[in-house]
Amino acid sequence: MYEKYWKLADNPFRNTPDPQYFYFARQYEEALARALYVVTEGQGAMLLTGDCGCGKTLLTRVLVDELDPARFEVALIPYPNLEPQELLGELLRQFGFDIAGLSKPEMFERMEKFLWANHRRGSRTLVIVDEGQVVHNDATLEEIRLLLNFQQDREFSLTLILVGQPELRERIESLPQLSQRLTVKYHLLGLNDDDARNYLRHRLSVAGGTGEIFTKGAEDLIIASAGGVPRNLNYLSDLALFTGFGKSVPLVDEELVQEVIADRRLQSGEPVA
């Protein structure tokens, strides 16, 4: 809605996992490098955790974009609070199988044959389980662990990346049979102030911005209020651009951002100073 007014080609602050907007802060580069190592070297499994809105899902999308689709079969489970057989069935469905009427042993047999065929032609299989903290059934986590039993020629036939909020790490640590199978564990922290500022400018640049839109004071206030969380940075910046467009201001300044923050607190029921 406001893109033309701010001379942008796209909305820079949508809270959707679009890889073109990924900002390579050092910790995200490190997380991506470790994920690529686990996947390309067939190292079994990785646990990626971080607070809500810190960019975990976007990082997995960037990971998939880095992989050669001719060499990697990828399945994504975005909401894994499933029964064990439902989880296995969803994986097979994503890999192109008709699972109607199949028993669980038959599903395992199909999966084993599929993985073996991939291995023979030099292809790898990746399963990404996002929002892992919503899995409440230990039997489902055990089913996830059992996927790592598929191995060929001393290599894992399937690579697993478990993604979730910090409570997922605590849950997994209480299940040593699963925790011990995770080759790499990495926790994403919030962005520091310098990275947060570069993040905002990066997204504006990707969206086609060429001139100043936010004053430094406006940036400072957004960064302080967002607490280093990319989702919060996006939300506040988007509202600021929309409000500035509505007011026909030449720049988003500190006063306008203060107004946006006060309105957000009011709408959420927080006390407004």
Side-chain angles (χ1 to χ4, degrees):
M1 178 180 290
Y2 56 63
E3 292 88 349
K4 185 177 179 180
Y5 177 81
W6 293 112
K7 297 182 174 59
L8 299 169
D10 189 23
N11 182 330
F13 296 113
R14 286 193 186 95
N15 265 318
T16 54
D18 186 343
Q20 72 171 326
Y21 282 101
F22 187 71
Y23 171 64
F24 284 87
R26 183 172 180 179
Q27 64 169 324
Y28 290 87
E29 284 190 270
E30 179 67 22
L32 181 60
R34 295 190 187 200
L36 283 167
Y37 167 72
V38 170
V39 174
T40 58
E41 298 299 320
Q43 290 297 310
M46 175 180 179
L47 174 66
L48 176 66
T49 55
D51 287 331
C52 179
C54 74
K56 303 180 297 296
T57 297
L58 176 54
L59 193 145
T60 63
R61 300 300 191 274
V62 174
L63 168 67
V64 172
D65 274 6
E66 292 278 328
L67 302 175
D68 180 355
R71 291 190 57 239
F72 290 89
E73 295 264 6
V74 180
L76 170 64
I77 307 294
Y79 188 79
N81 191 24
L82 304 169
E83 294 301 314
Q85 187 161 333
E86 292 174 329
L87 177 72
L88 186 58
E90 175 60 18
L91 287 176
L92 285 170
R93 186 190 66 78
Q94 290 195 32
F95 290 134
F97 290 91
D98 180 0
I99 62 170
L102 292 182
S103 66
K104 188 174 178 182
E106 289 171 328
M107 288 185 186
F108 260 102
E109 183 181 359
R110 296 285 175 90
M111 180 65 77
E112 185 174 25
K113 288 181 178 178
F114 169 74
L115 294 173
W116 173 238
N118 274 357
H119 176 76
R120 288 181 62 185
R121 67 170 182 264
S123 181
R124 294 187 181 275
T125 306
L126 170 63
V127 172
I128 299 173
V129 178
D130 204 353
E131 301 293 350
Q133 76 279 350
V134 305
V135 178
H136 298 301
N137 189 343
D138 282 352
T140 301
L141 288 176
E142 174 64 9
E143 194 78 6
I144 290 171
R145 183 189 71 83
L146 289 175
L147 292 173
L148 297 172
N149 285 343
F150 292 114
Q151 299 181 35
Q152 304 287 348
D153 299 335
R154 295 181 295 178
E155 288 187 0
F156 289 97
S157 300
L158 175 148
T159 300
L160 170 69
I161 296 185
L162 269 173
V163 183
Q165 294 176 25
E167 55 265 37
L168 175 62
R169 178 184 288 259
E170 297 172 11
R171 177 91 177 280
I172 287 176
E173 292 299 335
S174 71
L175 300 169
Q177 68 274 24
L178 176 57
S179 180
Q180 292 167 9
R181 304 296 292 273
L182 298 169
T183 306
V184 173
K185 299 175 184 178
Y186 196 87
H187 183 75
L188 290 172
L189 303 172
L191 297 173
N192 62 36
D193 287 357
D194 286 341
D195 277 332
R197 192 180 311 280
N198 290 332
Y199 173 90
L200 295 176
R201 295 176 180 180
H202 167 75
R203 292 188 74 105
L204 285 168
S205 175
V206 172
T210 56
E212 183 183 16
I213 296 177
F214 292 90
T215 67
K216 184 178 183 301
E219 289 179 340
D220 289 341
L221 193 52
I222 288 171
I223 291 165
S225 181
V229 178
R231 183 176 296 166
N232 292 342
L233 289 166
N234 290 346
Y235 182 74
L236 289 172
S237 300
D238 182 64
L239 280 179
L241 289 178
F242 176 74
T243 304
F245 158 68
K247 292 177 175 291
S248 299
V249 298
L251 290 172
V252 173
D253 62 13
E254 187 173 354
E255 182 179 352
L256 187 144
V257 173
Q258 286 174 334
E259 179 183 331
V260 166
I261 292 171
D263 182 66
R264 183 190 186 195
R265 288 174 177 165
L266 181 65
Q267 296 302 322
S268 63
E270 298 177 41
V272 179

